[in-house]
Amino acid sequence: MRRIVSLAVVLALAAPVTAEVARRELGQLVMEGIPEIPPALEERTLQYQASRSAAVVGWAADGNGVFISTRFGETSQVHFVATPGGARRQLTFFREPVGQVAVCPDPRAGSFLYARDVGGGEFFQLFMFDLANASSTLLTDGRSRNGGAVWNRDGSAFAYSSTRRNGRDTDVYLALRSNPQQARAIVTEGGSWRAVEFSPDGTRLLVVKGVSANESYPFVYDLEAATLTPLHRAPGPVAYGAATWAADGRHVYYTSDEGSEFQHLRLRDTAGAMADEVLTGDIPWDVEGLELSRDGRTLAFTVNEDGVSALYLLDTRTRERRKAANLPAGQVFGLRFHPRSPQLAMTINSARSPGDVYVLDVKSNQLVRWTYSEVGGLDTNRFVEPTLIRYPTFDQVNGQPRQIPAFYYRPRGAGPFPVLINIHGGPEAQFIPTFSPMLQYYVNELGIAVLAPNVRGSSGYGKTYLTLDNGYLREDSVKDIGALLDWIAAQKELDASRVAVIGGSYGGYMVLASLVHYNDRLRCGIDIVGISNFVTFLTNTQDYRRDLRRVEYGDEQDPEMRAFLERISPLTNAHRITRPLFVVQGLNDPRVPVSESEQMVRTVRANGGTVWYLLARDEGHGFRKHTNRTFYENAVVLFLQQFLVN
């Protein structure tokens, strides 16, 4: 059930944690312990913060142009680009970000679906946008969490996920375009379900039940018979990823890690007449994105090769595949085939270039850039490309020290440089080198070396690696940070006496845990919407995600596990933290509730520690509004200048 935050609670949360800490307010921001930002600092960061990116969200139904997501004001909105390099025409204008866009494939409809929440609470509502009169219509109930909309091929119906039935389970709903507000639930089996894709004839729907990062179950739902049939029954837990119907409506291309460490591309006959065909068994990496051309002849897919994307094109008739050449090195995502021609739109993003939209002609191999995002007038040739390094940690694999991958951003010069360890969230996420203007600011303007490790539990390195931090193994990932500190100490260009940690969500927990275990080896830490106590986190996170998190962290209802979680939680061990701490939180965070930050701030201060605290009343799990994010980024720079660099 959605928790309603009253005005009284808002005021209580925004109040000073102790009487000695001065509070300031700026718009929707509440600040404690944070000094005034110097004008010179604001001016220098402005160019970096003015950078923007563009991402493709779909072709126009008639193929004459693309819809993109980009930010020209406070938040990302939907824009339209008619030609390569053409002007961006903004279509939506809201204070809240617009996302999850699904363009209706019927050119006569002139509409698209999109999702929008309020204040970062992630209770997304679905809307229909009418291109003819630029109007939006609310389709969902205004209270539940909705999203993941997919259209059938002729645009007469769409499916999406919603928690409206009980606030805990995520069901699949079906709606007709002719009456989109009267959706009916079609999959109500309990758990977390999502719609994937309609069959070409629109009579069946691929759906997936998610259990954890290592376990999911794909099904085919027959819309006429109202039956669910497993797509595949594998022995033991298997993680399934992307999936798409073949043009014949009988076969399905999908990815899974069955019998392998990695997600391979496979072809399955839904009639069961033949065994699955493994199409990428020779590629020792995860296949991630899939997109089939409208004629069914070309399957495009991306592969995560050690944190960098590779695009492949598969001829579905001959099974021959080729790696797309002449693409800028970086991350490739958002694959979208043109509705009538062999043109593949995509977003390409790299450490030195913001995300932009490109279109590849799969026959001629010609790549055309469609958008040109601004970088605040900065010379991106001076931006640093990270180096992928590996460092040994405490345990062994096949008699040799386990190697932890990390991306290393090294400043120019001889050093010794102060170091910022950037720890990703998830914990099943993966740090990949994408365009990050402020990370480049740390390196180029502050002379800080940045190390972004993918500690155990990260995705991208096989399903065994993904589970190495589950349950009672939780602190093994923290030991990987200790091993990184050892590696830093052995590098002559790095200053082991000046090391800081920063991270968000689970990465915020890792920051706090690192300060607990390695307090004397760190200068300071920046915890962004981080978990401070696993038991209170699991108790207070939103109902629809609690079971998913229990699979990862452990079930706090079990007395033995509860005692373990309490024992390792940073809040329990906060007395060990004596280094300066910066805590950042959104009031409406549905994942890591504001109470996680409040209790940590209160406890560290009670122990005599220095804590900066930044709370945004109109944000959730991270800052998505430009004004809020600008202040937060400036405060981080000031914090690093005071406690790390100087």
Side-chain angles (χ1 to χ4, degrees):
M1 179 178 294
R2 183 178 182 180
R3 295 175 175 85
I4 306 299
V5 181
S6 69
L7 178 60
V9 173
V10 170
L11 294 176
L13 291 172
V17 176
T18 64
E20 294 76 19
V21 179
R23 184 183 71 178
R24 291 191 297 125
E25 297 187 19
L26 179 65
Q28 295 292 321
L29 297 176
V30 179
M31 293 153 272
E32 294 176 356
I34 302 174
E36 293 283 349
I37 306 296
L41 188 158
E42 291 180 325
E43 183 175 348
R44 187 62 191 128
T45 58
L46 185 60
Q47 276 188 294
Y48 288 83
Q49 293 160 341
S51 300
R52 71 181 98 248
S53 294
V56 62
V57 295
W59 285 95
D62 60 6
N64 295 323
V66 294
F67 294 94
I68 68 168
S69 173
T70 190
R71 180 195 59 77
F72 272 79
E74 275 290 287
T75 56
S76 295
Q77 301 292 319
V78 180
H79 297 240
F80 184 73
V81 180
T83 58
R88 289 168 280 197
R89 177 165 61 92
Q90 188 166 344
L91 301 175
T92 61
F93 296 82
F94 299 106
R95 289 181 56 84
E96 304 292 349
V98 169
Q100 302 183 42
V101 177
V103 181
C104 180
D106 184 352
R108 298 168 299 177
S111 62
F112 60 80
L113 301 170
Y114 68 88
R116 193 175 83 239
D117 71 350
V118 176
E122 298 187 14
F123 284 89
F124 298 104
Q125 303 304 313
L126 287 182
F127 297 81
M128 180 86 74
F129 187 87
D130 189 324
L131 291 165
N133 56 27
S135 65
S136 291
T137 302
L138 174 65
L139 305 183
T140 45
D141 62 7
R143 300 180 302 276
S144 57
R145 175 183 167 92
N146 307 272
V150 294
W151 288 96
N152 63 2
R153 181 164 288 199
D154 65 11
S156 62
F158 59 92
Y160 63 93
S161 297
S162 178
T163 62
R164 76 179 63 173
R165 179 167 58 89
N166 59 18
R168 181 184 66 254
D169 297 313
T170 303
D171 304 324
V172 177
Y173 284 72
L174 179 70
L176 301 179
R177 194 184 84 220
S178 58
N179 193 11
Q181 293 169 306
Q182 298 300 313
R184 62 184 177 91
I186 58 174
V187 179
T188 58
E189 262 59 29
S192 181
W193 293 79
R194 63 182 175 89
V196 178
E197 187 180 62
F198 285 91
S199 61
D201 64 3
T203 62
R204 288 169 294 162
L205 178 67
L206 278 174
V207 296
V208 171
K209 179 182 180 180
V211 176
S212 71
N214 284 88
E215 184 177 1
S216 52
Y217 298 91
F219 290 80
V220 176
Y221 180 80
D222 188 305
L223 277 74
E224 296 177 354
T227 56
L228 270 174
T229 304
L231 176 68
H232 180 43
R233 294 186 185 276
V238 169
Y240 293 84
T244 186
W245 289 93
D248 62 8
R250 171 171 166 167
H251 294 81
V252 172
Y253 294 98
Y254 71 97
T255 67
S256 84
D257 61 8
E258 181 185 3
S260 170
E261 281 292 312
F262 295 96
Q263 293 254 349
H264 289 308
L265 174 63
R266 305 161 192 266
L267 179 63
R268 180 161 188 80
D269 183 351
T270 59
M274 58 182 290
D276 283 10
E277 184 177 355
V278 180
L279 303 174
T280 60
D282 58 326
I283 298 179
W285 300 106
D286 285 334
V287 176
E288 294 185 334
L290 295 182
E291 176 76 354
L292 185 68
S293 62
R294 189 63 179 258
D295 61 12
R297 296 181 178 179
T298 304
L299 181 70
F301 62 92
T302 55
V303 176
N304 178 350
E305 297 181 351
D306 223 352
V308 178
S309 295
L311 174 66
Y312 288 83
L313 301 169
L314 175 76
D315 186 317
T316 59
R317 295 163 298 180
T318 66
R319 302 291 193 270
E320 293 180 358
R321 68 167 190 257
R322 59 185 171 89
K323 199 171 187 176
N326 303 319
L327 266 64
Q331 308 302 322
V332 179
F333 54 93
L335 304 179
R336 299 287 190 277
F337 263 112
H338 191 280
R340 293 194 304 271
S341 65
Q343 297 183 77
L344 179 65
M346 68 195 78
T347 304
I348 301 179
N349 182 312
S350 74
R352 295 173 59 181
S353 176
D356 269 309
V357 179
Y358 293 76
V359 174
L360 175 70
D361 187 307
V362 299
K363 288 187 175 180
S364 67
N365 291 318
Q366 181 182 14
L367 184 70
V368 177
R369 186 172 179 175
W370 274 60
T371 63
Y372 294 82
S373 295
E374 298 82 358
V375 288
L378 296 167
D379 180 7
T380 57
N381 290 321
R382 290 185 53 80
F383 282 10
V384 174
E385 286 274 6
T387 301
L388 179 62
I389 63 106
R390 284 180 164 81
Y391 64 91
T393 190
F394 66 93
D395 59 345
Q396 294 189 336
V397 179
N398 297 325
Q400 298 296 320
R402 185 186 303 278
Q403 300 294 308
I404 304 298
F407 286 95
Y408 177 19
Y409 294 77
R410 186 186 192 278
R412 293 175 178 82
F417 307 112
V419 181
L420 179 63
I421 299 175
N422 184 358
I423 310 173
H424 68 70
E428 312 96 338
Q430 177 190 24
F431 181 90
I432 55 177
T434 58
F435 186 71
S436 173
M438 292 310 297
L439 188 154
Q440 295 291 341
Y441 184 94
Y442 305 151
V443 178
N444 289 321
E445 304 291 339
L446 299 181
I448 298 173
V450 177
L451 280 161
N454 282 310
V455 297
R456 68 191 63 214
S458 304
S459 61
Y461 305 97
K463 63 185 180 185
T464 298
Y465 194 80
L466 191 64
T467 61
L468 289 179
D469 66 343
N470 285 6
Y472 291 106
L473 302 176
R474 179 58 46 209
E475 288 192 312
D476 283 359
S477 60
V478 184
K479 293 179 184 177
D480 290 340
I481 299 300
L484 180 55
L485 292 173
D486 294 338
W487 184 88
I488 290 169
Q491 312 307 309
K492 64 180 181 179
E493 79 275 14
L494 301 180
D495 186 349
S497 70
R498 292 188 295 164
V499 182
V501 282
I502 185 172
S505 190
Y506 177 78
Y509 154 74
M510 289 288 287
V511 166
L512 298 173
S514 296
L515 286 168
V516 166
H517 288 275
Y518 310 112
N519 181 78
D520 294 340
R521 302 175 71 182
L522 297 170
R523 279 284 191 92
C524 57
I526 302 169
D527 158 29
I528 306 158
V529 298
I531 300 167
S532 63
N533 182 293
F534 285 111
V535 173
T536 57
F537 159 71
L538 289 167
T539 301
N540 296 319
T541 194
Q542 283 292 333
D543 295 344
Y544 62 80
R545 61 190 314 277
R546 185 173 296 114
D547 287 342
L548 177 67
R549 295 297 80 199
R550 282 171 172 160
V551 174
E552 172 69 34
Y553 299 124
D555 190 342
E556 84 290 358
Q557 300 169 111
D558 175 77
E560 184 177 347
M561 176 56 73
R562 187 184 188 92
F564 170 77
L565 293 174
E566 287 278 12
R567 186 171 67 252
I568 70 167
S569 289
L571 187 68
T572 305
N573 302 283
H575 60 280
R576 300 184 187 178
I577 300 176
T578 64
R579 301 304 191 186
L581 175 65
F582 186 6
V583 177
V584 181
Q585 181 68 48
L587 179 65
N588 306 314
D589 193 337
R591 307 186 200 186
V592 181
V594 64
S595 54
E596 289 298 302
S597 288
E598 292 281 336
Q599 62 192 11
M600 197 69 197
V601 171
R602 185 181 303 111
T603 303
V604 174
R605 282 183 181 160
N607 292 335
T610 298
V611 183
W612 292 13
Y613 183 41
L614 178 62
L615 174 73
R617 292 190 180 103
D618 60 343
E619 299 280 9
H621 200 63
F623 287 14
R624 299 187 297 170
K625 296 182 173 67
H626 185 62
T627 299
N628 294 341
R629 189 163 188 86
T630 295
F631 182 90
Y632 147 73
E633 291 170 342
N634 289 341
V636 168
V637 171
L638 184 60
F639 185 82
L640 292 173
Q641 285 179 333
Q642 288 196 16
F643 299 114
L644 176 66
V645 177
N646 297 330

